Amino acid sequence: MPAFDRLTPAARTALRRAAEEAERDLSPYLGTEHLLLGLRATEGGAAARVLAGLGFELDALRAGVGDAPLRRPRPFPPMGAAAPTTRLQRAIAAAYAEARRAGRHEVTTGALLVGLLVDDADGLGSRLLLARGVTAETVRAVLAGLGDENVP
Protein backbone atom coordinates (compact mmCIF):
# COMPACT_ATOMS: atom_id res chain seq x y z
CA MET A 1 0.00 0.00 0.00
CA PRO A 2 1.36 3.47 -0.80
CA ALA A 3 2.69 5.69 1.96
CA PHE A 4 0.15 8.01 3.49
CA ASP A 5 2.43 11.05 3.45
CA ARG A 6 0.89 12.27 0.18
CA LEU A 7 -2.65 12.42 1.54
CA THR A 8 -4.29 15.79 2.09
CA PRO A 9 -5.39 16.48 5.68
CA ALA A 10 -9.00 15.83 4.64
CA ALA A 11 -8.02 12.48 3.08
CA ARG A 12 -6.23 11.48 6.28
CA THR A 13 -9.31 12.46 8.26
CA ALA A 14 -11.45 10.32 5.94
CA LEU A 15 -9.23 7.29 6.57
CA ARG A 16 -9.38 7.91 10.34
CA ARG A 17 -13.15 8.16 10.12
CA ALA A 18 -13.22 4.96 8.06
CA ALA A 19 -11.36 3.19 10.88
CA GLU A 20 -13.88 4.63 13.37
CA GLU A 21 -16.73 3.31 11.22
CA ALA A 22 -15.14 -0.16 11.18
CA GLU A 23 -14.82 -0.02 14.97
CA ARG A 24 -18.41 1.17 15.31
CA ASP A 25 -19.43 -1.74 13.09
CA LEU A 26 -17.41 -4.16 15.26
CA SER A 27 -15.69 -5.20 12.06
CA PRO A 28 -12.48 -7.25 12.15
CA TYR A 29 -11.51 -5.64 8.83
CA LEU A 30 -11.37 -2.18 7.27
CA GLY A 31 -13.16 -2.35 3.94
CA THR A 32 -14.25 -0.19 1.05
CA GLU A 33 -17.62 0.32 2.71
CA HIS A 34 -15.87 1.89 5.70
CA LEU A 35 -13.89 4.17 3.40
CA LEU A 36 -17.13 5.27 1.73
CA LEU A 37 -18.61 6.07 5.15
CA GLY A 38 -15.42 7.86 6.19
CA LEU A 39 -15.45 9.96 3.03
CA ARG A 40 -19.09 10.94 3.56
CA ALA A 41 -18.42 11.76 7.23
CA THR A 42 -15.49 14.09 6.43
CA GLU A 43 -17.28 17.42 6.26
CA GLY A 44 -15.53 19.93 4.08
CA GLY A 45 -13.93 17.25 1.93
CA ALA A 46 -14.72 17.22 -1.77
CA ALA A 47 -15.95 13.62 -1.57
CA ALA A 48 -18.48 14.52 1.14
CA ARG A 49 -19.76 17.38 -1.01
CA VAL A 50 -19.99 15.13 -4.06
CA LEU A 51 -21.79 12.40 -2.13
CA ALA A 52 -24.18 14.87 -0.49
CA GLY A 53 -24.90 16.43 -3.88
CA LEU A 54 -25.71 12.99 -5.26
CA GLY A 55 -28.16 12.37 -2.40
CA PHE A 56 -26.05 10.10 -0.18
CA GLU A 57 -26.73 10.77 3.49
CA LEU A 58 -24.45 9.25 6.12
CA ASP A 59 -27.17 7.46 8.11
CA ALA A 60 -28.68 5.96 4.95
CA LEU A 61 -25.23 4.79 3.84
CA ARG A 62 -24.66 3.18 7.24
CA ALA A 63 -27.99 1.38 6.91
CA GLY A 64 -27.04 0.25 3.40
CA VAL A 65 -23.76 -1.16 4.68
CA GLY A 66 -25.50 -2.98 7.53
CA ASP A 67 -28.14 -4.46 5.25
CA ALA A 68 -25.81 -5.48 2.43
CA PRO A 69 -26.08 -9.10 1.29
CA LEU A 70 -22.89 -11.16 0.98
CA ARG A 71 -21.18 -9.04 3.57
CA ARG A 72 -18.26 -10.57 5.44
CA PRO A 73 -19.39 -12.02 8.77
CA ARG A 74 -18.43 -10.38 12.04
CA PRO A 75 -17.16 -13.37 14.02
CA PHE A 76 -15.77 -11.31 16.89
CA PRO A 77 -15.13 -7.71 17.88
CA PRO A 78 -11.69 -6.48 16.81
CA MET A 79 -8.88 -6.56 19.35
CA GLY A 80 -7.14 -3.54 17.85
CA ALA A 81 -7.00 -1.67 14.61
CA ALA A 82 -8.98 -3.42 11.90
CA ALA A 83 -6.83 -4.81 9.09
CA PRO A 84 -7.43 -3.24 5.65
CA THR A 85 -8.83 -5.57 3.02
CA THR A 86 -7.06 -6.18 -0.26
CA ARG A 87 -9.89 -4.33 -2.01
CA LEU A 88 -9.36 -1.28 0.19
CA GLN A 89 -5.63 -1.37 -0.49
CA ARG A 90 -6.32 -1.50 -4.24
CA ALA A 91 -8.79 1.40 -3.96
CA ILE A 92 -6.18 3.52 -2.19
CA ALA A 93 -3.57 2.61 -4.81
CA ALA A 94 -6.10 3.58 -7.50
CA ALA A 95 -6.60 6.92 -5.70
CA TYR A 96 -2.86 7.59 -5.94
CA ALA A 97 -3.03 6.81 -9.68
CA GLU A 98 -6.05 9.11 -9.99
CA ALA A 99 -4.15 11.95 -8.31
CA ARG A 100 -1.25 11.48 -10.75
CA ARG A 101 -3.70 11.38 -13.68
CA ALA A 102 -5.14 14.68 -12.51
CA GLY A 103 -1.66 16.19 -12.17
CA ARG A 104 -1.81 16.44 -8.39
CA HIS A 105 0.97 15.66 -5.95
CA GLU A 106 -1.42 14.95 -3.06
CA VAL A 107 -4.28 12.49 -2.85
CA THR A 108 -7.58 14.20 -2.09
CA THR A 109 -10.84 12.80 -0.78
CA GLY A 110 -12.14 13.11 -4.33
CA ALA A 111 -9.34 10.86 -5.60
CA LEU A 112 -10.17 8.35 -2.85
CA LEU A 113 -13.80 8.35 -3.97
CA VAL A 114 -12.79 7.76 -7.59
CA GLY A 115 -10.39 5.06 -6.37
CA LEU A 116 -13.34 3.16 -4.92
CA LEU A 117 -14.93 3.02 -8.35
CA VAL A 118 -12.11 2.49 -10.84
CA ASP A 119 -10.45 -0.66 -9.60
CA ASP A 120 -13.01 -3.08 -8.25
CA ALA A 121 -16.75 -3.03 -8.78
CA ASP A 122 -17.17 -5.93 -6.33
CA GLY A 123 -16.23 -4.00 -3.20
CA LEU A 124 -19.21 -3.07 -1.06
CA GLY A 125 -18.29 0.62 -1.19
CA SER A 126 -18.36 0.66 -4.98
CA ARG A 127 -21.47 -1.55 -5.16
CA LEU A 128 -23.40 0.94 -3.01
CA LEU A 129 -22.41 3.74 -5.40
CA LEU A 130 -22.89 1.80 -8.64
CA ALA A 131 -26.35 0.64 -7.52
CA ARG A 132 -27.42 4.28 -7.69
CA GLY A 133 -25.72 4.91 -11.02
CA VAL A 134 -22.62 6.66 -9.66
CA THR A 135 -19.51 5.90 -11.72
CA ALA A 136 -15.93 7.16 -11.68
CA GLU A 137 -16.83 9.40 -14.62
CA THR A 138 -19.77 10.86 -12.67
CA VAL A 139 -17.52 11.67 -9.72
CA ARG A 140 -14.81 13.15 -11.95
CA ALA A 141 -17.38 15.41 -13.63
CA VAL A 142 -18.74 16.67 -10.33
CA LEU A 143 -15.22 17.21 -8.98
CA ALA A 144 -14.30 19.18 -12.09
CA GLY A 145 -17.30 21.40 -11.43
CA LEU A 146 -16.01 22.15 -7.92
CA GLY A 147 -12.79 23.62 -9.31
CA ASP A 148 -9.23 23.02 -8.14
CA GLU A 149 -9.39 25.39 -5.18
CA ASN A 150 -12.30 23.42 -3.74
CA VAL A 151 -10.91 19.89 -3.92
CA PRO A 152 -9.34 18.87 -0.59
Side-chain angles (χ1 to χ4, degrees):
M1 186 152 49
F4 291 141
D5 60 340
R6 289 187 31 221
L7 296 172
T8 62
R12 286 181 191 178
T13 298
L15 286 173
R16 258 194 320 278
R17 296 234 167 108
E20 292 167 3
E21 291 291 340
E23 184 177 313
R24 171 191 184 123
D25 195 29
L26 298 179
S27 176
Y29 67 91
L30 180 60
T32 58
E33 65 272 27
H34 302 118
L35 177 57
L36 178 59
L37 293 171
L39 288 168
R40 181 58 186 92
T42 304
E43 294 300 324
R49 291 196 306 267
V50 169
L51 291 167
L54 293 171
F56 288 90
E57 295 302 324
L58 185 56
D59 289 338
L61 277 173
R62 281 184 183 134
V65 166
D67 295 341
L70 301 175
R71 190 151 181 254
R72 285 187 179 188
R74 293 180 282 173
F76 54 86
M79 294 301 290
T85 63
T86 301
R87 284 191 170 120
L88 178 62
Q89 292 174 21
R90 286 196 315 248
I92 292 170
Y96 274 77
E98 180 67 18
R100 282 191 306 274
R101 186 195 70 74
R104 294 185 168 278
H105 176 68
E106 291 186 304
V107 176
T108 64
T109 61
L112 286 170
L113 184 57
V114 172
L116 280 175
L117 291 160
V118 298
D119 187 58
D120 186 358
D122 288 330
L124 181 51
S126 58
R127 284 188 297 164
L128 290 169
L129 295 169
L130 292 168
R132 296 212 7 220
V134 178
T135 65
E137 292 74 27
T138 305
V139 173
R140 286 181 184 125
V142 175
L143 288 170
L146 293 177
D148 276 350
E149 69 279 358
N150 295 314
V151 186

